[in-house]
Amino acid sequence: MSKSSRLFEIMMYIGKKRVFTVQEVSNEFGLSTRTVRRYLDDLSVMGLPLYSEQGRGGGYRVLQNNWTFPVLFTKDESLSLFFAFQSLVNMNDLPFQAEVKTSLHKLYHQLNPEAKKKVDAIENHVRFYSPARNVRSPFLQDLLEFSLKKERIQVTYRSKDRDKTYVVFPMGIFAQDGLWYVPVYAYEKEKIILLRADRILKLKSAGKDEEIDMNLTDFFAYTPTHNMITLRAFLTNEGARQCSGHPLFQDNLKRVDEETWILEMEGDERELIYSAPFFYRLGKDAKVKEPHSLIERITSHARELLNHYE
């Protein structure tokens, strides 16, 4: 039996007993007490919380903490988990940064040689791409914890004009295109708004809210009922391709013919106006027909750039 398999069996055995002696393990597995002690040292280095009890009748105790005993996975399940973890590696910040890295390290080293060889080969053919973002989001774990505890928070937020302070109720966090976002209920505005986590400069608790109970599921199902306007735009194939990767537009595209698409939807006016830079970047691959307010914002961007180079 391989050493890794023996370590796993001993780990499961002592995990069930919680309190044990070296001799008990020796008798159970037919090993010398010296070998058992060496295996226990290995398990301790791996992170198993063992406490040695000295004196007559002394032995070992597995301490109660956050340690989770292994689950048996097939080779394909292990590969799936490995690459799922690896998809997070390129993010600048994660709610549990160190834990993800150590989990990936442990998972790789518990793979058998054949599975490791396959992982090494696949790494040269598979990438989970996230755009490189030169920003940091140091409050991710705090934001997650406050949302789980249903606590209001006071945040100082860097906006376009100046830094502002809000009291908000965080609904959770989600990542998109290499950035972290925080949907919140803003008490002063009396509505749900979306904050970028990297623009939060300060954060502290503002007490528990017993009335509001919202999370990300509620946010993604949320549809504003005020200031609704119609967006209609014609797109080239390239414009449609770009819109298909945009979370606001991807489900509202229809093909007109081989070279033309139409984007048509109802949306919150403020959110659609904020999309002006996106349509401006599309250039001749998109032509917005309505709303007029969005057309004005796009042409304003164009005039500003033209004036800049005159």
Side-chain angles (χ1 to χ4, degrees):
M1 180 180 290
S2 67
K3 179 180 178 180
S4 59
S5 298
R6 180 66 77 193
L7 281 171
F8 177 78
E9 287 191 346
I10 293 175
M11 185 184 295
M12 297 303 294
Y13 173 75
I14 64 179
K16 290 178 181 178
K17 288 184 69 68
R18 292 289 174 180
V19 178
F20 63 94
T21 65
V22 170
Q23 190 61 55
E24 286 175 332
V25 179
S26 174
N27 294 339
E28 177 69 20
F29 294 98
L31 301 170
S32 68
T33 55
R34 182 178 179 181
T35 300
V36 170
R37 287 193 175 90
R38 189 169 65 249
Y39 281 167
L40 293 178
D41 287 341
D42 290 338
L43 290 173
S44 182
V45 170
M46 290 168 59
L48 185 64
L50 293 175
Y51 174 73
S52 177
E53 297 180 320
Q54 304 298 322
R56 185 179 178 84
Y60 287 85
R61 180 185 300 274
V62 180
L63 300 179
Q64 297 282 356
N65 71 352
N66 292 328
W67 175 273
T68 301
F69 285 92
V71 178
L72 290 173
F73 294 109
T74 65
K75 183 179 75 174
D76 287 342
E77 287 171 340
S78 297
L79 292 175
S80 298
L81 285 172
F82 179 83
F83 283 102
F85 274 121
Q86 195 188 53
S87 68
L88 303 173
V89 168
N90 292 330
M91 298 292 293
N92 273 348
D93 293 290
L94 293 166
F96 305 104
Q97 187 87 37
E99 287 81 354
V100 169
K101 291 182 178 179
T102 56
S103 298
L104 187 60
H105 179 77
K106 289 179 180 178
L107 184 58
Y108 178 81
H109 284 282
Q110 68 85 36
L111 297 174
N112 62 42
E114 181 186 352
K116 284 182 181 179
K117 188 180 297 184
K118 189 169 184 178
V119 164
D120 294 339
I122 291 175
E123 279 191 297
N124 293 321
H125 299 272
V126 176
R127 282 290 185 273
F128 292 88
Y129 175 74
S130 293
R133 303 288 189 178
N134 190 27
V135 295
R136 304 308 303 261
S137 302
F139 299 111
L140 288 180
Q141 188 162 348
D142 294 324
L143 289 165
L144 179 59
E145 292 295 335
F146 282 126
S147 67
L148 290 171
K149 293 187 290 187
K150 299 180 174 59
E151 284 192 36
R152 296 174 295 178
I153 55 175
Q154 179 179 300
V155 298
T156 300
Y157 189 73
R158 181 189 296 117
S159 61
K160 183 177 180 181
D161 302 320
R162 59 185 176 86
D163 296 345
K164 298 179 181 179
T165 299
Y166 300 101
V167 174
V168 299
F169 181 91
M171 304 168 71
I173 56 176
F174 69 91
Q176 179 180 305
D177 293 333
L179 296 172
W180 285 96
Y181 294 89
V182 191
V184 300
Y185 177 79
Y187 293 92
E188 182 181 348
K189 298 176 180 291
E190 296 184 340
K191 66 177 183 179
I192 294 172
I193 61 175
L194 190 61
L195 304 180
R196 263 180 51 176
D198 59 283
R199 293 178 179 171
I200 295 176
L201 306 176
K202 297 179 183 178
L203 178 152
K204 67 178 181 179
S205 174
K208 199 170 181 66
D209 192 316
E210 301 293 345
E211 297 182 4
I212 297 180
D213 184 9
M214 295 185 291
N215 54 40
L216 286 186
T217 301
D218 302 311
F219 170 72
F220 286 113
Y222 170 71
T223 302
T225 57
H226 59 286
N227 298 330
M228 298 294 287
I229 58 174
T230 299
L231 166 65
R232 189 164 62 94
F234 288 98
L235 309 164
T236 65
N237 286 327
E238 174 59 20
R241 187 186 71 82
Q242 295 282 348
C243 286
S244 66
H246 194 292
L248 190 61
F249 306 133
Q250 60 187 4
D251 296 326
N252 299 285
L253 295 167
K254 292 183 181 178
R255 182 187 286 275
V256 177
D257 54 43
E258 289 186 1
E259 297 183 354
T260 311
W261 295 69
I262 187 169
L263 169 63
E264 197 164 18
M265 60 176 289
E266 296 289 315
D268 178 75
E269 181 176 18
R270 186 176 181 182
E271 189 171 26
L272 291 179
I273 296 303
Y274 279 157
S275 67
F278 172 77
F279 285 104
Y280 175 72
R281 290 193 299 271
L282 287 182
K284 295 172 66 176
D285 288 311
K287 186 166 186 178
V288 176
K289 292 294 186 178
E290 57 178 318
H292 187 67
S293 54
L294 177 57
I295 296 172
E296 285 186 334
R297 185 65 65 88
I298 296 169
T299 55
S300 175
H301 283 305
R303 282 193 295 269
E304 287 176 0
L305 184 61
L306 182 61
N307 292 335
H308 178 70
Y309 281 99
E310 284 184 344

